Amino acid sequence: MQASGGATRRQFLKQAGCLLGGALAGVPGMAAASTGGKHCLADVQYPFYGERQQGILTPQQSYVYFLVMDLAVEELNVMREVFQTWTSYAAQLTQGRNVRPYGENQFVPPIDTGEADDLSAYGLTLTFGISPSFLKKLGLQKRAPKEFQDLPLFARDQLRPEWTGGDICIQSCANDAQVAFHAVRQLVRVARANVTMKWSQAGFISADRASDTPRNLFGFKDGTANANTLKEPEKWLWVSEPDWLRGGTYLIVRKIAMHLETWDRTSYREQVRTFGRDRATGAPMGYGKDEFEPLDLSRKDARGQAVISEDSHSALANATGRQMLRRAYSWSDGIHPRTGQFDSGLLFLCYQKSPQQFIDIQSALGNVDRLNEYITHVGSGLFACFPGVREGEYLGQRLLGA
Amino acid sequence: MHTFNKLALAVGVSAMMAFSAPAMAAVDLSAETRAYREFVIGQIDELEKGTRQFAEALRAGNVAEAKRLYPRIRMYYERSEPIAESFGDLDPRIDAREADLEKDQIWMGFHKIEKILWTQNTTKGTEETAKKLLDDIKELRAKVPTVEVTGELMVQGAVDLLNEVSTTKITGEEEIFSRTDLYDFRANIEGAEKIFELLKPKLKEKDAKLVQTLEQRFAAVNALLDRYKVGEQDYKPYTDLSEADTRQLAEAVNKLGEPLAQMGVLLAP
Ligand code: HEM
């Protein structure tokens, strides 16, 4: 089963037929997940080669393993080799194969770590990005577009150095957590001498149907406005200059702690006011019936008050007139040692044509967003994601090529 | 310890492991394995000599001298662990940490003495343990020549030495009272490097790039360790290292470990 680079949700639905039916009704403990004994999402497969990197427009898979690395060796020819190897590895892994066939010599460690030996592709995508410091360390700063600079500090940021910055990122998404992790593990292992792991985050997000907008840990549908962004992808998403990044995009990652206990003490009405959307339907608050109805920020009630609270998250973001593609995942990492609360949040991943889109929106959220009371930004990164790779080429070739 | 259980097994069982049947090493490593055996015997000779001095210092009530000797003589043991630890009955008697003890197991060996020396600052109560330790080390010395050293044992031993560093030295759980972990750390690295040095000429013929990589990686780890050296033979307490320092060390060890395991290319049929 293959889907093209810009697979729509509808295509995806067709491939993952089990989502529409296929359930073995009545078998306890065997819900929708089985078709003919095999997991219905096992054979979903996206081509690695193409105009765009996968994992951006790809229908959002259920799991992410996101890794940020630093360069251990600041040499261009070494990093070129690393990206060549990663290209060939990623081309295998995303097709549900091990990085290379096992060798004969049993006195050396196996070439693949093996935990995905009996697992298919599960819609695995691997998306690679590099940061401004990557360019600087390799003496390529002249190639950096001028908007490609470290993000400014925003109001209320509590960024921790261990989760901020870094030189390279890999976003691994799949419909199986083990498949997503396995892929990153192989990529790190082969490059271990030349990169050092800085931080990583595993995440999850789910919906029954691929056509449903998944909900975040605050119980709200998250990603509704992406539909607007995707109406004008050239305007909001794909970079046109410089040459090495044409057809690529900027990824911004924010590790955001969400204070679940505080949120759970918040009334339904206040929750709705916080996001400016109805919790049950995801529709604009106050008047909307349908999730995808446009937000009408000018609408007033009988007393002349804005129907959608002006300091709600959606209103503030929408009023900037900017759009971005959001592809966030929830995380939940046990109990916070100091507070005894859930240590959870959102791995906020968004893609845009220029980092300025993020800067404008985050600045608007600033101190005023009602949501701020319940969240804290603790990690951050800005990466340029290369355009897609054609067969015979390697990732970043137009930047790293001799 | 711990990490070596599987090696102890490999020493005895490797010959019968089903999959190794066709894997008769094509390269003749008899000179290398002989040299390694001699190296380990030499180390255990020194260990025995050092332990005798150590026991005397303890008997004489010389706390300072005992503390000075303790980490240095342990290095002979740590360097030769691929073989020294392969005697499943002796290792727990010589090298058990308090945390390793099973219920009702009587604690003896180096770390018991370590605890008394550093927490009570006395030699009292160590004399018996020291005597027994010396006996056990003599027994070790007698047994070492019986080990059949193979190329596989050497390669796996080098990797296990690194694994030992990664799992118990980096975490600082080996010398919890004396904080002399860096001595053990260095000795483990030296033990692995010795094996590499012995295999190097043959390895070069098979994979010159691997040899070059390994030389660089050993140099990187050693350069980091040198930062914490005091005088010719001693090291700073492990507690002096910041979290960033230990992370840097851990990463250098990992970067060495991956290519080190590739020394197995020598053993391919
Ligand atoms: C934990 C933190 C966050 C949570 C829980 C969250 C959740 C949401 C939710 C529920 C919506 C409404 C549905 C939708 O359109 O997807 C939304 C909209 C949006 N959010 Fe967030 N968000 C968070 C952080 C951010 C950040 C850091 C940014 C960017 C700086 C951002 C940008 C946006 C944008 C652009 C929209 C769409 C606004 C529009 O309708 O035009 N969000 N968010």
Side-chain angles (χ1 to χ4, degrees):
Chain A
M1 255 189 264
Q2 300 231 322
S4 73
T8 62
R9 292 214 158 138
R10 191 156 293 284
Q11 276 174 298
F12 178 71
L13 278 175
K14 243 165 59 194
Q15 290 150 9
C18 63
L19 289 175
L20 298 169
L24 294 180
V27 183
M30 288 268 297
S34 293
T35 42
K38 197 170 187 184
H39 193 295
C40 61
L41 295 176
D43 288 326
V44 177
Q45 210 167 290
Y46 298 105
F48 175 72
Y49 295 104
E51 192 188 352
R52 315 273 185 215
Q53 283 201 73
Q54 293 282 5
I56 302 166
L57 291 180
T58 315
Q60 190 167 5
Q61 303 94 323
S62 291
Y63 301 96
V64 70
Y65 194 87
F66 187 85
L67 176 75
V68 175
M69 290 160 280
D70 282 326
L71 298 184
V73 179
E74 300 182 4
E75 286 170 40
L76 183 58
N77 56 348
V78 171
M79 284 325 293
R80 186 183 304 131
E81 259 180 57
V82 167
F83 274 97
Q84 285 165 344
T85 307
W86 280 348
T87 304
S88 73
Y89 270 37
Q92 294 298 316
L93 289 162
T94 54
Q95 306 312 299
R97 291 192 284 265
N98 279 350
V99 292
R100 277 193 274 151
Y102 287 116
E104 296 284 309
N105 183 356
Q106 296 185 335
F107 293 99
V108 293
I111 189 80
D112 192 287
T113 60
E115 72 270 35
D117 277 7
D118 308 315
L119 293 170
S120 305
Y122 282 87
L124 174 70
T125 59
L126 293 162
T127 316
F128 297 80
I130 54 139
S131 74
S133 59
F134 176 94
L135 295 179
K136 210 169 297 157
K137 288 179 184 174
L138 296 179
L140 295 169
Q141 60 270 49
K142 284 218 194 73
R143 313 278 302 271
K146 71 176 177 317
E147 66 268 32
F148 193 39
Q149 284 176 18
D150 289 343
L151 295 172
L153 199 69
F154 297 98
R156 299 176 53 96
D157 272 1
Q158 293 287 327
L159 304 184
R160 298 260 296 270
E162 65 268 35
W163 297 325
T164 301
D167 298 330
I168 303 175
C169 75
I170 301 176
Q171 174 196 278
S172 174
C173 299
N175 287 307
D176 180 274
Q178 188 159 321
V179 166
F181 179 73
H182 168 262
V184 171
R185 184 176 175 199
Q186 311 314 304
L187 296 170
V188 171
R189 184 173 179 228
V190 68
R192 192 79 203 209
N194 304 314
V195 298
T196 301
M197 295 192 290
K198 184 175 170 75
W199 68 280
S200 76
Q201 183 66 59
F204 54 88
I205 193 124
S206 290
D208 268 1
R209 276 171 288 268
S211 56
D212 289 351
T213 308
R215 292 179 188 270
N216 60 36
L217 294 181
F218 284 169
F220 275 73
K221 296 189 172 199
D222 197 331
T224 307
N226 282 343
N228 299 332
T229 314
L230 291 175
K231 281 181 204 147
E232 297 176 287
E234 294 301 329
K235 178 172 176 191
W236 299 123
L237 198 53
W238 304 118
V239 176
S240 43
E241 288 184 282
D243 178 61
W244 64 265
L245 197 53
R246 181 176 311 127
T249 182
Y250 292 101
L251 162 63
I252 287 164
V253 56
R254 304 284 282 187
K255 177 168 166 136
I256 306 176
M258 290 163 65
H259 310 302
L260 301 190
E261 283 85 349
T262 329
W263 179 257
D264 294 344
R265 295 197 285 268
T266 305
S267 73
Y268 189 95
R269 284 168 57 88
E270 180 56 26
Q271 292 192 359
V272 168
R273 273 198 295 272
T274 300
F275 283 110
R277 287 184 174 274
D278 184 53
R279 174 160 145 167
T281 61
M285 81 181 262
Y287 65 91
K289 297 273 172 297
D290 176 76
E291 182 189 348
F292 295 99
E293 253 176 84
L295 286 176
D296 180 2
L297 301 180
S298 61
R299 190 183 285 249
K300 300 280 190 301
D301 65 14
R303 287 175 302 151
Q305 306 275 341
V307 173
I308 301 180
S309 39
E310 286 166 320
D311 55 359
S312 69
H313 182 70
S314 298
L316 290 166
N318 186 270
T320 61
R322 311 259 177 204
Q323 300 287 340
M324 52 172 44
L325 187 75
R326 287 169 293 129
R327 214 169 177 280
Y329 285 87
S330 302
W331 51 270
S332 175
D333 291 349
I335 310 304
H336 196 286
R338 263 201 313 275
T339 64
Q341 319 281 302
F342 283 118
D343 193 356
S344 325
L346 194 71
L347 184 71
F348 180 85
L349 295 161
C350 66
Y351 292 93
Q352 47 255 301
K353 187 189 186 85
S354 163
Q356 196 61 42
Q357 290 158 246
F358 175 85
I359 294 172
D360 289 347
I361 295 170
Q362 180 59 22
S363 303
L365 302 176
N367 270 319
V368 270
D369 188 357
R370 279 184 113 88
L371 182 60
N372 288 336
E373 188 181 333
Y374 310 100
I375 65 171
T376 308
H377 288 238
V378 293
S380 178
L382 164 64
F383 300 92
C385 295
F386 300 122
V389 191
R390 275 186 299 239
E391 221 153 329
E393 290 180 354
Y394 61 89
L395 281 156
Q397 183 160 342
R398 277 185 268 154
L399 174 69
L400 305 168
Chain B
M1 333 211 349
H2 320 294
T3 42
F4 284 87
N5 295 344
K6 67 173 185 288
L7 182 69
L9 203 79
V11 174
V13 194
S14 67
M16 52 152 277
M17 282 201 276
F19 66 72
S20 65
M24 289 302 294
V27 185
D28 174 17
L29 293 174
S30 50
E32 289 76 4
T33 50
R34 210 175 314 122
Y36 185 59
R37 191 166 158 276
E38 275 157 29
F39 164 76
V40 173
I41 291 175
Q43 292 293 305
I44 304 299
D45 277 341
E46 291 298 321
L47 176 67
E48 189 185 327
K49 222 160 77 192
T51 309
R52 191 165 284 136
Q53 285 174 17
F54 183 51
E56 267 156 32
L58 292 171
R59 202 171 30 225
N62 192 341
V63 175
E65 176 67 0
K67 282 184 175 177
R68 193 181 68 85
L69 288 172
Y70 170 85
R72 293 187 184 180
I73 55 177
R74 283 188 48 75
M75 289 180 84
Y76 298 113
Y77 192 74
E78 295 282 334
R79 251 180 235 120
S80 38
E81 275 186 331
I83 290 181
E85 283 198 348
S86 62
F87 304 99
D89 51 335
L90 271 174
D91 183 54
R93 294 193 335 235
I94 296 172
D95 201 27
R97 304 164 308 171
E98 200 172 16
D100 299 330
L101 299 181
E102 285 164 29
K103 197 164 168 289
D104 300 329
Q105 186 184 337
I106 298 166
W107 193 20
M108 45 186 136
F110 275 117
H111 293 296
K112 181 171 182 189
I113 301 174
E114 178 206 359
K115 183 174 183 182
I116 297 173
L117 268 179
W118 268 273
T119 62
Q120 300 170 27
N121 209 32
T122 177
T123 60
K124 267 195 218 80
T126 62
E127 300 85 347
E128 267 308 295
T129 314
K131 199 162 149 278
K132 182 80 180 62
L133 177 65
L134 186 56
D135 287 344
D136 286 335
I137 284 172
K138 281 187 198 154
E139 188 182 333
L140 175 67
R141 172 62 187 83
K143 279 185 173 165
V144 161
T146 65
V147 174
E148 190 207 336
V149 181
T150 62
E152 186 178 7
L153 179 144
M154 288 175 70
V155 171
Q156 188 60 42
V159 172
D160 278 347
L161 278 163
L162 266 268
N163 292 350
E164 169 117 353
V165 171
S166 298
T167 51
T168 65
K169 301 306 180 330
I170 289 288
T171 51
E173 63 190 63
E174 182 77 9
E175 307 285 358
I176 53 173
F177 308 109
S178 64
R179 309 299 7 183
T180 54
D181 308 73
L182 284 172
Y183 293 77
D184 302 353
F185 195 135
R186 171 76 89 179
N188 287 160
I189 298 291
E190 285 172 348
E193 196 164 6
K194 178 71 192 182
I195 292 172
F196 167 57
E197 290 297 335
L198 289 174
L199 298 177
K200 188 149 84 179
K202 298 252 164 75
L203 201 55
K204 214 173 223 161
E205 289 164 27
K206 275 231 163 165
D207 191 344
K209 198 171 164 206
L210 178 62
V211 169
Q212 203 189 357
T213 307
L214 284 170
E215 282 172 343
Q216 287 166 359
R217 301 291 150 70
F218 271 116
V221 174
N222 282 324
L224 282 178
L225 282 171
D226 284 345
R227 290 192 193 169
Y228 309 111
K229 219 169 162 176
V230 181
E232 274 305 296
Q233 288 189 53
D234 295 292
Y235 293 87
K236 288 190 177 165
Y238 199 58
T239 36
D240 279 15
L241 273 61
S242 70
E243 214 169 273
D245 293 337
T246 43
R247 189 162 167 171
Q248 200 179 15
L249 271 172
E251 188 58 31
V253 170
N254 276 333
K255 285 183 164 55
L256 169 61
E258 277 288 333
L260 198 67
Q262 295 302 323
M263 291 200 303
V265 294
L266 261 190
L267 308 171

